[in-house]
C-alpha cells in the first residue's frame, strides 16, 4: 500500500500541508500527504480570497521560492486589487478574490502532477517516536506508516469544537469531523498545548440580495497577478464585489443574543483573532460606532453563494438571520449556512526551532494554525518552509532559514519562535522593521536565487528574475548617466508645480522629485528613444521607478539590516547555561533558558530581555 519508508509524511492538506508536500516532493523526497478528505484539499475554510495587507507580500514570497499558492491564486482569481497604492511601495499589497471550488480543484490537480508525491485519505491519530525522534504515524484504522520526518499541519481540526449559539458539536470545519489523538500524544511526549478560537460568517444566496442598495467594489482597471512565472496571465475580465453597512438597528438585534453567545456566556474561553474580530466583538468593543463595513463577496465565477466579510459570528442562527435582514440590501436574504466559531488545539511555537522542527522531538515539524497563526498565507508560508527543511534534514543538508531582513516569512517565523503568541497571529506590514526592503515587487530578487541554490526554484525562474533585475538596473543607470536640459524638462516641471531648472542636470535628480512620476519622465524624448531600443515590460518599469524614487530609504534600511546581520553572526552555544549569569535579570535568564535563542540578535528580540541583559551576555561570551 505504501513505500517502505517515506522521507516526508505531511499530515493535513490545508494550505500549509499542500505547500509542505509540494516543496518536499519537488526537492526529490519521497512524500506522502495524508488527509481526512481528498475532496477538500486546500479548502478555503473562511473567506474566498488570497493576499491583502502584508499577506499579499507573503504570497509573492512563496511564489518566488517556488511554491504553488501564487500560481493557483492567479489561475482561479475572479478579481484582483493592489491595496494601499496611495501609500509608498512598501505598503502596496496584492489581493485577489478567488473561485473557492476551482481553487481547491486546481491545487489538487497541481499536486497530482507533482512527482514523488503519494496521497492517502485517513485520520492520523498517533505519532510513533523512538529515542526522541519521530519514525512514523499511525491512523485511526491502525495503519502504520513509516517516515524519516513528519510535518503536522492540522489546522483547526485538533479536538475541534464548533459553536453556534447554545449548540456545540465536534468538527474541524462545517461538515467535517475533528481530529483526535495527536494532541494527547504530543502532550504525553512533553509538549505544551493551548486552545484558540476563530470564526466565519454566514454564507448567503446572492439571488436573495438587492445589490442596488450596495456600493460596487470593482477590481483594478489594469489588474496585475501574483506569480512571477509565465504560467499565469492577468485577468481579462473580473467579477464585482459589493459593500454595505450595519446600523444601530442591526447592533441592537445582535445585542439581544449576547446572553446566548458562547463568547459572552463563558463557554468559549480561548482567544480569537484580535484583528479579525467577530461582529459581536466589534459592536461590544466599539460601542461608539454607529455602523461597520460589510463586504459582500462572490464565492466564484458562476455560483450564487456569497461570503459576508465582516460578519463573523457564533450567535444563534435565528439572531444572525434577523440581524442580517436589517442590513441594507439583505431584507430578503436566504442563508446557505449560518456563521460559527470553532475552538481548536495549538502548540505555543516557542517549542520550535527556526526551521519549524520541534525542539523536543527530532524530525517532527509544525506548520500553520497548529503554531497559533491565522490566515491561509501565513499557513502556506510555514508549510513551504517546513517541507523544505524536512527534506533537507533527512538528506543531511544545511537548513534553510530566512532572516527578518530577507522576507516577511522570516519575520513571521522569528516572531513565532522568539516571542510566541497567545492569540491567533496575523501578519502586518508594521511587524517588519525592514518593510521598505521587503516589498511585493522584489520578492523574486530577494528569494529566487536562494531557492534555486537548494534546488526548488527552476532555472527558468532564475533566468526571468535575472533578466528583470538587469534590465531595471540598466534603466536606473540610464537615468543616473543621462542629462536633461531646462528646455526639455521645464514645461513638465511647471505643469506638476515643481520648481523649474536653471541649468542641465541628471535625469535621476529630476525623477527623484516628489511631484514627478514615471509617466512624466516617459514624455521626455531621450526616455522614449531608450524604450524604443529596449522592450521593457510594466514590471521592469515599476521596479526602476521604485529604485529611483525611494533610493534613499532603501539604502538607509540596507545599512540598518547590515548592523542586524552582525548580531545574527554571533552564535550562542546550544548548551549555554544562563543560570550562571547572576548580573542578568531573573526574567531574562528564565526566558533565554526556555527559548534557547540561536544568536544574539534573536536573544535581543525576546520579550523581557533588555538591552542591558544583552550587554551582559556579550561580555560573558567574551565580546
Amino acid at each position: 500500500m505504501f513505500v517502505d519508508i517515506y522521507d516526508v509524511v505531511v499530515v493535513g492538506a490545508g494550505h500549509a500541508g499542500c505547500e509542505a508536500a509540494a516543496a518536499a516532493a519537488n526537492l526529490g523526497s519521497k512524500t506522502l500527504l495524508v488527509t481526512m478528505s481528498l475532496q477538500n484539499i486546500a479548502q478555503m475554510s473562511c473567506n474566498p480570497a488570497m493576499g491583502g495587507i502584508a499577506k499579499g507580500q507573503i504570497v509573492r514570497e512563496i511564489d518566488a521560492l517556488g511554491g504553488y499558492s501564487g500560481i493557483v491564486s492567479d489561475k482561479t482569481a475572479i478579481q484582483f486589487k493592489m491595496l494601499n497604492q496611495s501609500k509608498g511601495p512598501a505598503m502596496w499589497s496584492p489581493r485577489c478574490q478567488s473561485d473557492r471550488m476551482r481553487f481547491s480543484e486546481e491545487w489538487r490537480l497541481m499536486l497530482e502532477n507533482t512527482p514523488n508525491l503519494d496521497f492517502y485519505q485517513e485520520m492520523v491519530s498517533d505519532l510513533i517516536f523512538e529515542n526522541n525522534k519521530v519514525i512514523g504515524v499511525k491512523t485511526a484504522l491502525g495503519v502504520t506508516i513509516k517516515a524519516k520526518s513528519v510535518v503536522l499541519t492540522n489546522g483547526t481540526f485538533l479536538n475541534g469544537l464548533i459553536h453556534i449559539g447554545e449548540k456545540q458539536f465536534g468538527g474541524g470545519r462545517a461538515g467535517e469531523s475533528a481530529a483526535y489523538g495527536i494532541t494527547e500524544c504530543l502532550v504525553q511526549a512533553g509538549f505544551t498545548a493551548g486552545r484558540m478560537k476563530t470564526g466565519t460568517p454566514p454564507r448567503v444566496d446572492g439571488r436573495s440580495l438587492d445589490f442596488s442598495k450596495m456600493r460596487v467594489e470593482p477590481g483594478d482597471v489594469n489588474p496585475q497577478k501574483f506569480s512571477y512565472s509565465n504560467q499565469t496571465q492577468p485577468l481579462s475580465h473580473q467579477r464585482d464585489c459589493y459593500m454595505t453597512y450595519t446600523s444601530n438597528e442591526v447592533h441592537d438585534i445582535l445585542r439581544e443574543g449576547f446572553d446566548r453567545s458562547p463568547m459572552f456566556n463563558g463557554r468559549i474561553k480561548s482567544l480569537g483573532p484580535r484583528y479579525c474580530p467577530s461582529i459581536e466583538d466589534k459592536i461590544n468593543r466599539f460601542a461608539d460606532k454607529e455602523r461597520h463595513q460589510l463586504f459582500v463577496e462572490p464565492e466564484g465565477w458562476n455560483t450564487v453563494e456569497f461570503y459576508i466579510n465582516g460578519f463573523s459570528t457564533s450567535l444563534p442562527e435565528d439572531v444572525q438571520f434577523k440581524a442580517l435582514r436589517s442590513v441594507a440590501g439583505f431584507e430578503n436574504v436566504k442563508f446557505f449556512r449560518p456563521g460559527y466559531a470553532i475552538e481548536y488545539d495549538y502548540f505555543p511555537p516557542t517549542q520550535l526551532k527556526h526551521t519549524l522542527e520541534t525542539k523536543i522531538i527530532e524530525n517532527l515539524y509544525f506548520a500553520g494554525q497548529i503554531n497559533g497563526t491565522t490566515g491561509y498565507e501565513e499557513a502556506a508560508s510555514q508549510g513551504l518552509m517546513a517541507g523544505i527543511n524536512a527534506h533537507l534534514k533527512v538528506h543531511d543538508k544545511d537548513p534553510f532559514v530566512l532572516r527578518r531582513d530577507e522576507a516577511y516569512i522570516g519575520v513571521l517565523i522569528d516572531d513565532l519562535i522568539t516571542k510566541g503568541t497567545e492569540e491567533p497571529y496575523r501578519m502586518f506590514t508594521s511587524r517588519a522593521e525592514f518593510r521598505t526592503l521587503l516589498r511585493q515587487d522584489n520578492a523574486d530578487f530577494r528569494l529566487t536565487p536562494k531557492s534555486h541554490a537548494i534546488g526548488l526554484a527552476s532555472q527558468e525562474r532564475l533566468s526571468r528574475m535575472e533578466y528583470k533585475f538587469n534590465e531595471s538596473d540598466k534603466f536606473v543607470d540610464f537615468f543616473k548617466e543621462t542629462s536633461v536640459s531646462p528646455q526639455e524638462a521645464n514645461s513638465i516641471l511647471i505643469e506638476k508645480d515643481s520648481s523649474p531648472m536653471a541649468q542641465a542636470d541628471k535625469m535621476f535628480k529630476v525623477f527623484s522629485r516628489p511631484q514627478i512620476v514615471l509617466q512624466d519622465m516617459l514624455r521626455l524624448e531621450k526616455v522614449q528613444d531608450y524604450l524604443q531600443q529596449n522592450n521593457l515590460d510594466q514590471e521592469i518599469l515599476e521596479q526602476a521607478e521604485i529604485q529611483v524614487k525611494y533610493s534613499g530609504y532603501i539604502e538607509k534600511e540596507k545599512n540598518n539590516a547590515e548592523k542586524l546581520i552582525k548580531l545574527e553572526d554571533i552564535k550562542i552555544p546550544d548548551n549555554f547555561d544562563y543560570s550562571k549569569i547572576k548580573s542578568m535579570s531573573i526574567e531574562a535568564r528564565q526566558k533565554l533558558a526556555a527559548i534557547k535563542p540561536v544568536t544574539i540578535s534573536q536573544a535581543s528580540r525576546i520579550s523581557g530581555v533588555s538591552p542591558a541583559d544583552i550587554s551582559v551576555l556579550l561580555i560573558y561570551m567574551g565580546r
Side-chain angles (χ1 to χ4, degrees):
M1 186 159 61
F2 305 109
V3 300
D4 290 341
I5 183 166
Y6 283 97
D7 294 317
V8 182
V9 168
V10 179
V11 180
H15 301 263
C18 287
E19 286 288 7
N26 280 323
L27 283 166
S29 278
K30 289 183 291 184
T31 306
L32 176 69
L33 180 59
V34 188
T35 174
M36 293 197 291
S37 173
L38 284 168
Q39 280 63 52
N40 294 319
I41 280 178
Q43 184 70 259
M44 292 179 132
S45 309
C46 202
N47 63 319
M50 288 293 283
I53 308 301
K55 293 167 171 280
Q57 283 87 327
I58 290 176
V59 176
R60 289 211 128 191
E61 290 180 352
I62 292 169
D63 184 75
L65 287 165
Y68 287 174
S69 289
I71 293 170
V72 173
S73 297
D74 287 344
K75 286 184 174 180
T76 60
I78 62 174
Q79 187 192 88
F80 191 97
K81 277 188 177 182
M82 186 66 74
L83 307 180
N84 276 347
Q85 282 197 287
S86 62
K87 301 179 181 178
M91 305 297 286
W92 298 352
S93 302
R95 180 185 189 268
C96 77
Q97 198 70 25
S98 302
D99 186 311
R100 183 192 300 275
M101 289 182 284
R102 288 197 59 230
F103 186 91
S104 182
E105 178 191 34
E106 186 63 35
W107 251 113
R108 177 163 175 171
L109 293 175
M110 286 192 73
L111 289 174
E112 287 182 355
N113 282 287
T114 300
N116 304 313
L117 181 56
D118 292 344
F119 302 87
Y120 188 56
Q121 180 172 296
E122 240 247 79
M123 183 176 80
V124 171
S125 57
D126 202 2
L127 301 167
I128 307 167
F129 304 135
E130 187 178 276
N131 300 322
N132 293 326
K133 181 184 285 190
V134 69
I135 59 167
V137 301
K138 191 175 286 186
T139 72
L141 289 176
V143 177
T144 296
I145 304 165
K146 293 179 180 178
K148 295 176 184 176
S149 68
V150 173
V151 182
L152 295 183
T153 68
N154 302 87
T156 58
F157 283 78
L158 293 180
N159 293 321
L161 187 64
I162 292 174
H163 297 266
I164 304 176
E166 302 96 333
K167 300 162 188 165
Q168 61 182 52
F169 46 92
R173 87 184 135 223
E176 296 180 64
S177 65
Y180 302 102
I182 288 179
T183 296
E184 295 73 18
C185 169
L186 292 172
V187 169
Q188 192 173 0
F191 288 92
T192 300
R195 293 282 277 178
M196 280 189 177
K197 134 183 137 59
T198 190
T200 191
R203 309 301 199 272
V204 303
D205 189 334
R207 295 170 298 182
S208 65
L209 303 180
D210 184 352
F211 294 107
S212 68
K213 295 183 179 179
M214 306 178 199
R215 191 175 89 189
V216 178
E217 294 284 329
D220 288 345
V221 176
N222 296 305
Q224 298 182 40
K225 63 193 187 85
F226 276 114
S227 182
Y228 293 101
S229 75
N230 57 6
Q231 293 185 48
T232 64
Q233 297 298 322
L235 286 167
S236 56
H237 64 290
Q238 304 180 67
R239 236 194 125 168
D240 289 334
C241 296
Y242 301 87
M243 188 173 76
T244 185
Y245 294 90
T246 62
S247 62
N248 280 326
E249 181 189 356
V250 174
H251 297 176
D252 288 341
I253 294 169
L254 290 168
R255 286 190 189 98
E256 289 174 15
F258 276 9
D259 61 331
R260 299 166 63 198
S261 165
M263 196 178 82
F264 289 104
N265 64 22
R267 278 199 290 115
I268 292 181
K269 294 183 171 61
S270 49
L271 288 171
R274 178 192 300 262
Y275 303 103
C276 188
S278 63
I279 187 66
E280 53 265 41
D281 195 22
K282 280 194 277 194
I283 64 174
N284 185 54
R285 280 166 53 190
F286 308 108
D288 57 318
K289 285 193 176 285
E290 294 183 357
R291 65 180 192 172
H292 294 285
Q293 293 178 339
L294 298 179
F295 290 93
V296 185
E297 301 172 340
E299 299 256 319
W301 280 116
N302 303 310
T303 181
V304 297
E305 187 174 358
F306 276 76
Y307 175 92
I308 315 305
N309 196 340
F311 204 89
S312 178
T313 182
S314 60
L315 285 164
E317 63 273 26
D318 59 316
V319 177
Q320 296 182 35
F321 184 69
K322 185 179 177 184
L324 262 185
R325 282 220 153 179
S326 297
V327 172
F330 281 73
E331 294 82 0
N332 299 304
V333 69
K334 294 179 181 178
F335 272 25
F336 274 13
R337 75 161 192 247
Y340 62 87
I342 181 166
E343 283 189 288
Y344 55 92
D345 293 337
Y346 85 105
F347 290 81
T350 51
Q351 300 171 98
L352 303 175
K353 303 174 184 177
H354 271 96
T355 58
L356 297 179
E357 184 184 20
T358 68
K359 294 174 181 175
I360 296 175
I361 301 294
E362 192 179 350
N363 295 348
L364 177 63
Y365 296 78
F366 292 172
Q369 285 181 282
I370 192 172
N371 291 336
T373 60
T374 180
Y376 310 143
E377 305 83 359
E378 289 89 342
S381 67
Q382 293 171 69
L384 178 72
M385 296 300 285
I388 289 171
N389 279 304
H391 162 83
L392 294 173
K393 180 78 183 289
V394 300
H395 290 89
D396 298 318
K397 295 182 179 179
D398 291 339
F400 185 70
V401 174
L402 297 171
R403 298 193 311 265
R404 296 180 71 91
D405 64 305
E406 293 177 324
Y408 271 94
I409 297 172
V411 175
L412 166 68
I413 293 173
D414 185 67
D415 274 357
L416 290 174
I417 71 162
T418 302
K419 301 172 183 176
T421 186
E422 294 178 353
E423 61 185 40
Y425 178 103
R426 178 180 179 178
M427 181 51 74
F428 291 100
T429 52
S430 58
R431 295 192 191 272
E433 59 269 49
F434 302 114
R435 58 183 173 272
T436 305
L437 302 180
L438 309 182
R439 305 183 311 276
Q440 58 83 30
D441 61 89
N442 70 351
D444 52 346
F445 293 174
R446 293 184 275 119
L447 300 176
T448 299
K450 293 178 182 294
S451 182
H452 181 263
I454 62 168
L456 186 55
S458 66
Q459 181 59 45
E460 182 193 358
R461 283 294 192 105
L462 185 67
S463 298
R464 283 179 65 85
M465 183 282 298
E466 288 173 340
Y467 173 76
K468 175 183 162 186
F469 182 87
N470 293 333
E471 291 303 312
S472 57
D473 223 31
K474 283 195 287 187
F475 197 27
V476 172
D477 287 341
F478 164 78
F479 287 115
K480 287 178 178 177
E481 295 162 2
T482 309
S483 296
V484 61
S485 68
Q487 291 85 351
E488 293 172 293
N490 277 348
S491 60
I492 296 171
L493 295 176
I494 292 165
E495 185 183 311
K496 298 304 290 276
D497 292 325
S498 186
S499 302
M501 297 165 59
Q503 60 188 38
D505 209 340
K506 297 298 183 190
M507 283 190 178
F508 188 93
K509 199 169 178 182
V510 176
F511 198 178
S512 298
R513 294 190 184 196
Q515 304 94 330
I516 304 302
V517 296
L518 179 62
Q519 290 306 312
D520 300 318
M521 300 302 292
L522 295 180
R523 291 161 62 184
L524 296 172
E525 191 175 332
K526 289 175 184 174
V527 179
Q528 291 173 8
D529 290 344
Y530 183 92
L531 292 181
Q532 281 180 352
Q533 296 165 26
N534 302 273
N535 185 25
L536 305 184
D537 63 27
Q538 193 57 42
E539 262 191 69
I540 294 170
L541 295 177
E542 180 185 277
Q543 186 58 226
E545 181 173 26
I546 291 168
Q547 292 297 333
V548 173
K549 303 291 285 181
Y550 297 91
S551 58
Y553 298 104
I554 292 168
E555 201 57 41
K556 185 178 178 182
E557 280 210 354
K558 280 182 180 174
N559 292 335
N560 289 337
E562 283 167 10
K563 292 174 187 174
L564 176 78
I565 292 167
K566 289 176 183 175
L567 289 179
E568 290 285 2
D569 289 338
I570 306 174
K571 306 292 184 187
I572 302 172
D574 288 342
N575 57 353
F576 194 88
D577 188 357
Y578 296 99
S579 65
K580 291 180 179 177
I581 314 178
K582 302 303 179 187
S583 51
M584 185 184 281
S585 69
I586 294 172
E587 182 185 5
R589 276 182 273 160
Q590 291 173 341
K591 293 280 182 69
L592 290 164
I595 293 172
K596 295 183 174 63
V598 177
T599 67
I600 291 291
S601 180
Q602 186 193 351
S604 70
R605 295 189 293 271
I606 296 172
S607 176
V609 177
S610 70
D613 294 320
I614 294 299
S615 296
V616 170
L617 181 55
L618 283 168
I619 292 166
Y620 196 85
M621 289 177 65
R623 293 180 181 270

